[in-house]
Amino acid sequence: MGNWQLEVFRMALYVSFPVSLFYFFNQPEFFEGWMMEKRAKLFPPQDPRAKDLIEAYIEKSELRKEKEMLEAFNSKG
């Protein structure tokens, strides 16, 4: 068994180790480059043509649904 100095050292190590890791890994400079690279891969810049195609499809779908609803309404009346 150790004396009280060894116990104080161990307790200081147990407390300081997670605190120092928390401090080190929460520095933005540490992971900023990595994060920007991952963000660029996961969320690539949108193509304006793709956005136009999606909007055109949505509009076409809404018009088709509205036309079907009008036909169903007119057939009941």
Side-chain angles (χ1 to χ4, degrees):
M1 292 270 184
N3 56 9
W4 67 272
Q5 289 98 352
L6 179 61
E7 294 300 322
V8 169
F9 172 74
R10 286 174 53 191
M11 188 56 142
L13 185 64
Y14 292 156
V15 171
S16 65
F17 183 70
V19 170
S20 60
L21 287 179
F22 179 79
Y23 176 76
F24 178 73
F25 285 108
N26 281 315
Q27 298 297 317
E29 300 86 24
F30 180 70
F31 62 91
E32 186 175 7
W34 175 79
M35 190 64 208
M36 291 301 165
E37 179 183 322
K38 292 293 180 187
R39 184 181 291 168
K41 286 182 182 177
L42 290 174
F43 304 107
Q46 286 188 339
D47 184 15
R49 292 178 294 152
K51 185 177 179 182
D52 292 340
L53 286 173
I54 291 171
E55 288 176 357
Y57 176 78
I58 290 172
E59 184 177 330
K60 182 179 173 183
S61 176
E62 288 174 352
L63 288 174
R64 182 178 47 86
K65 188 180 276 188
E66 185 178 329
K67 182 179 176 184
E68 289 173 359
M69 289 177 67
L70 285 173
E71 287 175 359
F73 181 73
N74 288 335
S75 66
K76 286 184 181 181

